Amino acid sequence: MNTTTASLLALALAFAGMAALGFAMDRHHEQLTRRRETPALRRRLLRGLGSLLVALALVPCLIAWGGSVGTVAWLGFLSAGALGVALLLPYLPRTAATGAALSAVAGVACLGWSLASSSLSF
Amino acid sequence: MSNSQTKAAHKALRRKAAGNGAGEGGFRQAQAWLHTWCGLWFSWLLFAVFLTGTLAVFDEPISHWMTPEHHAEEAAAAAAPKAATAGRAQRLAWGMAYMAEHHPQAQMWELWPSDAQGGGELKVYWFDAKGQYVAAALNPATGEALAADTATPVRGTLAGHHFVDFHYELHAGQVGLWIVGIAALAMLVALVSGVITHKRIFKDFFTFRPKKGQRSWLDAHNAVAVLTLPFQLMIAYTGIVISGLTFMPVAKLAHDGSDKAAQQQFMAELNGGKPARSGTAMPVPALESFAARGQALMGQPVRAVVIDHPGDAAARIGVYGWNGEAESLHRLSPTTGMASFSAATGELLQVRLPGAADGGTAALAQSAMGGLHMASFGGWAVKWLYFLCGLAGTAMMGTGAILFMVKRRGKHGTEFGGATAHVYRLVEGLNVAAIAGLGIACIGYLWANRLVPLGLTQRADWELRVFFGLWLLALVHALLRRPGAAWREQMGLLAALCLLLPVLNFATTGDWPLAQWLRGDWESAGVEAVSVAFGVAAVAALRFLRRRERHGVAHTTKKAVRSTATPTTAEASP
Amino acid sequence: MPSSSIPAPAGLLVLSRLAAAVFGGYALAAATAVCLAAVLPSARADAVLAGMQFSFVVHTLAVVWAFSPVRPARVWLGLLGPAVVLALVGWLWPRVGG
């Protein structure tokens, strides 16, 4: 996996994960749905999903950059994703949500395909 | 009352006090005080250090843009058929012959035979009689020394290195280094106290509420800081540690004292232990076999061959490698491979694999931390991440300084007693000059690069004078004009200079973004694109400032209308 | 009732606290560096580096603590006291055959 692909994947997954973690919070859930509180199940789901996506963002980083550099790059992508979420939430919460969902699906799909195809070729 | 009861009562009183002084109130309150004042007094300097540091991430693309004469040269060199130049063995032999003839007394010969592909320049380095590190270039086809002025005349300029030099030493040598170091420690203090003060750091993780005045500024300040906190802590700490032995020489001194021999021993240990002279003469053996063995051991093409004590029987030959893309992608520590041999016996003395450090864990950590600070790893993606986080850190300082005044505007404070109004006025002025003014100075430096006449002696100094001169003018302007006007005018100038950079380039060199794209010159295109992006951001800031000014005017109008008893409708603000 | 001393002017107290944070903190950091350089089992050059690297963390935390709700006099004591101890340890350790 080259660094460009890894960057796009990591950024997509980090953004999606951070968005999920954000929407799990009451304040940002309200920005999206106008409901005061996030229902308990939805909050657990979003937190779990968010954490998973954030962790998955580490995978392309480790593949493209190895252990030490990959971890540093991962932290950088997490910051980038979080900044994007913080900027979008007050202005365009629906865009943030849709974008996050698309990024999550596309990111996971591409990551899975990438891992599968590399294991197939060896 | 008993002694301890009195003490407890006093303590409780202190806690309850409206504590807004140093160490007063509770722990969080005291830390808030520390954060405010430590942050404010260093904010302007740190903003400058951070902005130039962020730009320094791309010092090479900036240098490329700033030396357009090189482009034609590089294109010609790439297009020309490869002239036959000698192989490594011949280059090394020429280098050695040159050194033996011209500098046989030097204690160290350093030969750089070629680039990673075996072509390119042939250069030799040594320490002259005054201890200065000097170089000579040899013709790679003939081994003859090249005259110093055969290179194509290029505009004298520090280019991107100005941003690097300013960033870590303010162009002021050791004094500047210490000032930046102290500021970096202040930054660490501000970061720690800021985290302690921020009560709802997780709840408010993504919180940004625009258009709410002071609250928005606080949200912005918190967001850019918290969301990039690992980076901010790392960059400040690694920045200090790189020059750590300068700032904290005590441990070394405690062991060595002023004993030169012990000091050299210390440096030698860190550099893999250089031997002492034996006194027996011995000519330096042919280097190619050592280079070949070194290359095989390191797994890297040969970058440099260093001979310590040439001409002596105890001479050591060190072979250093070129880090390829793979190394820089995967390693934090930027050290290259190295293999060192005894010149007399050919025995292998030491091998260092790429990324390792001479010494133990702490030495490796030192090297890795240097790599971490300078983003010398990971390629372009990491550089852009550093650029983004660097801008966030810059914004952290800018929003902090602005927040300080936003909280105090229109209030008749007594923080500084009778001088409070004057201090606030000074802070307002410093904010404009440090933020917008520095931006003008940075982009102005690029404008100077195109506008300062080519043949001028010490041209590089003139470019620097433009940088500092613009900054000084911005400060004067900021102190003379009302803050609102100063902000708008400087932001407007900044926007214009940034947006018009490609126009300037076209007018002075005939080059423009499409041409850059077509020839694949991403560095020049990138510099101009980022400049335009900054310009767009400055325009957005300008619109925000104009909106705020209109609101401010409407506020006064509303007040005036309300105070007259006639029930006319207030002039609504848009 | 114990006699309470006349409180020093506020500005002087802040200055004292600041001086303690900056110089006392540096002293503590330096002492830490010396102590670690002497005590760490690795090669000397490496131990010196490690001591230096750790010292800046100490200085930062010292400044943070110096501005917590503690009297300036206690700040001076709290920074210089351990500094002296650590420096002593660093000085004695190699001589005592540690």
Side-chain angles (χ1 to χ4, degrees), chain C residues 24-77:
Chain C
Y26 188 86
L28 181 60
T32 311
V34 166
C35 183
L36 282 176
V39 162
L40 285 177
S42 34
R44 202 186 51 78
D46 219 54
V48 165
L49 273 185
M52 173 274 282
Q53 289 161 351
F54 195 62
S55 69
F56 299 111
V57 178
V58 171
H59 199 352
T60 306
L61 294 177
V63 175
V64 167
W65 178 72
F67 283 89
S68 55
V70 182
R71 278 194 336 272
R74 254 208 78 197
V75 174
W76 278 109
L77 214 63

Side-chain angles (χ1 to χ4, degrees), chain B residues 181-437:
Chain B
I182 291 170
L185 197 90
M187 177 176 169
L188 281 178
V189 169
L191 284 171
V192 173
S193 58
V195 169
I196 293 174
T197 308
H198 194 17
K199 261 190 279 205
R200 296 158 51 94
I201 195 166
F202 288 115
K203 270 211 159 70
D204 284 356
F205 202 69
F206 297 103
T207 301
F208 174 55
R209 292 159 291 193
K211 299 198 171 77
K212 288 210 156 93
Q214 179 180 321
R215 181 162 301 182
S216 306
W217 283 109
L218 181 60
D219 283 350
H221 180 68
N222 290 340
V224 287
V226 171
L227 298 180
T228 58
L229 194 58
F231 175 84
Q232 307 304 340
L233 288 166
M234 177 276 292
I235 209 79
Y237 178 71
T238 54
I240 297 174
V241 154
I242 286 178
S243 308
L245 287 176
T246 308
F247 298 134
M248 190 63 73
V250 67
K252 195 159 78 74
L253 288 175
H255 282 266
D256 306 335
S258 51
D259 185 354
K260 267 223 168 296
Q263 280 175 8
Q264 281 174 352
Q265 162 81 350
F266 177 81
M267 295 313 296
E269 263 185 69
L270 284 182
N271 293 329
K274 298 220 189 314
R277 297 183 68 91
S278 70
T280 325
M282 183 196 79
V284 185
L287 296 174
E288 174 54 25
S289 64
F290 292 98
R293 282 173 66 196
Q295 176 162 332
L297 286 165
M298 301 181 300
Q300 292 185 317
V302 171
R303 171 170 58 98
V305 178
V306 179
I307 305 131
D308 290 306
H309 306 308
D312 188 276
R316 292 214 326 181
I317 296 174
V319 181
Y320 295 82
W322 284 109
N323 267 345
E325 208 191 309
E327 272 91 19
S328 76
L329 278 187
H330 288 97
R331 282 183 232 284
L332 288 177
S333 165
T335 53
T336 64
M338 186 269 286
S340 109
F341 307 91
S342 158
T345 64
E347 176 197 351
L348 174 68
L349 298 170
Q350 188 192 358
V351 174
R352 181 185 78 198
L353 290 177
D358 302 320
T361 326
L364 181 60
Q366 187 74 9
S367 181
M369 287 197 275
L372 267 174
H373 190 84
M374 298 194 242
S376 60
F377 60 94
W380 289 106
V382 170
K383 282 198 164 37
W384 279 105
L385 284 173
Y386 268 61
F387 191 72
L388 178 70
C389 290
L391 286 179
T394 314
M396 165 178 77
M397 286 144 191
T399 50
I402 292 172
L403 179 64
F404 179 88
M405 277 323 301
V406 165
K407 273 187 177 177
R408 290 158 175 78
R409 246 175 228 153
K411 296 202 178 108
H412 299 289
T414 51
E415 261 177 328
F416 298 95
T420 304
H422 292 288
V423 175
Y424 286 176
R425 180 69 189 86
L426 181 66
V427 171
E428 290 267 26
L430 285 173
N431 282 359
V432 183
I435 299 173

Side-chain angles (χ1 to χ4, degrees), chain B residues 59-75 152-161 445-446 449-450 454 459-460 463 505 509 511 519 521 523-524 527:
Chain B
D59 73 325
E60 278 174 18
I62 292 175
S63 293
H64 177 80
W65 185 90
M66 289 179 76
T67 50
E69 285 78 24
H70 265 159
H71 305 179
E73 209 182 84
E74 286 165 5
T152 318
V154 155
R155 61 188 67 204
T157 175
L158 263 187
H161 266 285
Y445 176 71
L446 266 61
N449 175 262
R450 287 297 192 260
L454 281 185
R459 192 180 174 283
E463 287 182 350
N505 194 27
T509 65
D511 196 15
R519 67 170 187 266
D521 185 354
E523 296 188 319
S524 298
V527 168

